[in-house]
């Protein structure tokens, strides 16, 4: 708000100068005040803003000299000074703007590189499913986000996680790394999905207990969801405060809402009911399951409208492979937001294969691990 007000200061000065020249106190000399407007505009606006401010100041000077028949050396000197200040301000504004953009682009590249170290692409084929993943960094800032995802083939089936850490920056990355590390270890040894989630919660608790691991006076929590696809035609889900996965079945999208909502990881004190159990949903051959972070649902258009995720999934349902599906979803998301994401986006998609194909793939993976 203050920045917008600062941008309007040069034009307010131009209007004040015009008002003085058209009033009975037109004998007040406004030349130095008008000459300063391009320099003031260069502090908060780009080259075009500087040019508009200079044009306004020049117009007031011409109107004043014509109206009061005061053309002379002083007016010409003011116009010349205004041109010189305008050229200098445009040059400085362009240089500063270019430098800031280069610095921001470099920091964004570093942030994306750091995020890619934490989030590795999932394999295209995992047991009974085909999979693909995508991570999109927000365009409004250079901070690293706390979105996380992973898909691992285990003896219990394909196990997946998607989550979103509260906050941004290095504290969020450390929390995401702790949760992902616990997940990658626990999925191979714990047969119960709830135990896998509990291992992630314990890892987050240890990370948050480290001094300086989180921002002061900030809660440390992670919304997370783990899912498991085995040989049966179902998917098991444990949801801890995360947006529900979206199931595409026969061209229609359904949100797999939890029957008993649970708080995010790190807020275990709010759990008052009986121990959680995995919830099962039908997941038949040909179905498509999308796990995502809230950056997808909260993506807004310039008209402040949220992204319609179910409708977008139904519109691109004919995409043959998961990677193509995600690419089309990416295009629709960018079109909706006009290329300006307010939050990071992570998406993980799996297609349920025919049972015979899944069994053959699972047997091949088991024999290679032996």
């Amino acid at each position: 708000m203050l920045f917008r007000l600062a941008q309007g200061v040069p034009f307010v000065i131009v209007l004040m100068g015009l008002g003085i020249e058209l009033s009975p106190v037109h004998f007040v000399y406004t030349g130095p005040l008008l000459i300063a407007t391009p320099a003031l505009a260069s502090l908060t606006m780009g080259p075009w803003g500087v040019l508009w401010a200079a044009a306004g100041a020049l117009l007031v000077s011409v109107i004043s000299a014509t109206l009061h028949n005061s053309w002379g050396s002083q007016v010409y000197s003011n116009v010349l000074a205004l041109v010189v200040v305008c050229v200098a301000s445009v040059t400085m504004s362009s240089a500063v703007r270019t430098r800031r953009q280069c610095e921001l682009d470099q920091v964004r590249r570093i942030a994306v590189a750091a995020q890619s170290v934490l989030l590795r692409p999932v394999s295209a084929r995992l047991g009974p499913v085909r999979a693909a993943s995508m991570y999109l960094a927000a365009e409004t800032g250079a901070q690293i986000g706390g979105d996380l995802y992973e898909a691992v083939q285990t003896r219990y089936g394909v196990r997946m996680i998607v989550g979103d850490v509260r906050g941004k920056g290095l504290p969020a990355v450390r929390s995401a790394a702790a949760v992902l590390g616990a997940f990658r270890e626990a999925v191979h040894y714990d047969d119960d999905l709830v135990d896998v989630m509990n291992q992630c919660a314990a890892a987050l608790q240890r990370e948050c207990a480290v001094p300086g691991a989180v921002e002061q006076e900030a809660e440390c929590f992670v919304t997370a969801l783990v899912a498991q696809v085995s040989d049966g035609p179902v998917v098991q889900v444990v949801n801890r405060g995360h947006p529900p996965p979206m199931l595409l079945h026969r061209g229609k999208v359904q949100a797999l809402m939890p029957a008993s909502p649970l708080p995010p990881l790190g807020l275990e004190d709010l759990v008052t009911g009986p121990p959680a159990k995995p919830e099962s949903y039908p997941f038949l051959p040909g179905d498509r399951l999308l796990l995502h972070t809230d950056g997808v649902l909260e993506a807004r258009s310039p008209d402040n409208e949220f992204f319609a995720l179910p409708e977008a999934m139904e519109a691109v349902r004919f995409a043959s492979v998961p990677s193509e599906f995600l690419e089309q979803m990416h295009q629709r998301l960018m079109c909706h937001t006009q290329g300006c994401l307010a939050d990071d986006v992570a998406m993980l998609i799996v297609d349920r294969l025919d049972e015979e194909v899944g069994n053959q793939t699972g047997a091949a993976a088991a024999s290679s691990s032996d």
Side-chain angles (χ1 to χ4, degrees):
M1 183 63 179
L2 292 177
F3 183 75
R4 293 295 183 185
L5 292 176
Q7 286 182 318
V9 169
F11 301 102
V12 172
I13 293 176
V14 170
L15 292 177
M16 289 176 56
L18 180 61
I20 291 174
E21 296 297 342
L22 297 179
S23 69
V25 293
H26 60 81
F27 56 85
V28 176
Y29 186 47
T30 60
L33 190 65
L34 295 174
I35 292 173
T37 54
L40 291 175
S42 68
L43 298 176
T44 56
M45 291 181 287
W48 282 109
V50 175
L51 290 175
W52 279 112
L58 179 61
L59 181 61
V60 172
S61 297
V62 172
I63 291 176
S64 173
T66 303
L67 184 62
H68 305 299
N69 195 22
S70 58
W71 286 99
S73 59
Q74 188 174 31
V75 174
Y76 294 128
S77 298
N78 289 339
V79 171
L80 179 61
L82 183 62
V83 172
V84 172
V85 173
C86 177
V87 172
S89 299
V90 168
T91 303
M92 182 63 67
S93 177
S94 300
V96 172
R97 195 179 186 91
T98 301
R99 181 177 178 180
R100 288 178 179 174
Q101 187 62 44
C102 291
E103 291 176 351
L104 182 59
D105 290 341
Q106 182 180 9
V107 174
R108 282 175 178 166
R109 288 193 295 268
I110 295 173
V112 172
Q115 197 86 17
S116 64
V117 173
L118 179 66
L119 302 178
R120 55 198 182 198
V122 302
S123 301
R125 178 67 65 84
L126 294 168
V129 301
R130 289 182 301 185
S133 60
M134 177 176 289
Y135 169 78
L136 303 175
E139 297 295 332
T140 55
Q143 283 191 311
I144 308 173
D147 289 4
L148 60 97
Y149 64 83
E150 181 62 288
V152 182
Q153 185 176 353
T154 70
R155 55 182 173 176
Y156 308 108
V158 178
R159 288 180 161 181
M160 301 161 285
I161 186 172
V162 64
D164 189 357
V165 182
R166 180 197 178 279
K168 290 184 178 296
L170 292 179
V173 173
R174 286 194 290 264
S175 297
V179 172
L180 273 179
F183 173 81
R184 288 165 178 164
E185 181 72 16
V187 289
H188 295 286
Y189 301 104
D190 293 323
D191 58 351
D192 192 335
L193 276 185
V194 175
D195 292 336
V196 173
M197 186 69 86
N198 291 339
Q199 293 287 354
C200 296
L204 177 64
Q205 186 177 13
R206 292 191 297 269
E207 174 63 28
C208 294
V210 177
V214 296
E215 299 178 1
Q216 294 182 353
E217 300 180 359
E219 291 181 302
C220 180
F221 66 86
V222 179
T223 64
L225 180 147
V226 295
Q228 174 178 303
V229 178
S230 54
D231 294 334
V234 297
V235 56
Q236 291 183 309
V237 176
V238 177
N239 192 337
R240 292 291 298 270
H242 197 75
M246 310 298 289
L247 177 66
L248 180 61
H249 173 71
R250 295 183 178 179
K252 298 297 181 181
V253 174
Q254 174 189 2
L256 304 184
M257 302 295 297
S260 301
L262 296 171
L265 303 180
L267 301 179
E268 282 72 22
D269 293 341
L270 300 179
V271 179
T272 57
K277 294 182 178 180
E279 300 183 16
S280 298
Y281 305 90
F283 190 39
L284 305 176
D287 288 353
R288 181 165 279 170
L289 184 69
L290 176 66
L291 283 64
H292 59 90
T293 57
D294 58 4
V296 180
L297 297 175
E298 296 178 359
R300 301 195 186 195
S301 67
D303 297 331
N304 210 30
E305 295 181 357
F306 289 105
F307 183 64
L309 179 57
E311 289 79 358
M313 290 183 63
E314 292 176 359
V316 300
R317 64 183 184 273
F318 298 110
S320 58
V321 294
S323 58
E324 180 185 348
F325 180 89
L326 284 185
E327 182 57 35
Q328 293 190 30
M329 289 290 293
H330 177 205
Q331 295 176 4
R332 286 181 172 272
L333 192 61
M334 291 295 100
C335 181
H336 178 77
T337 61
Q338 293 189 358
C340 185
L341 292 173
D343 195 5
D344 294 349
V345 168
M347 292 185 286
L348 174 62
I349 187 171
V350 291
D351 284 358
R352 186 68 165 84
L353 300 174
D354 293 335
E355 187 173 355
E356 294 182 358
V357 176
N359 289 338
Q360 293 173 2
T361 308
S367 62
S368 61
S369 61
D370 293 340

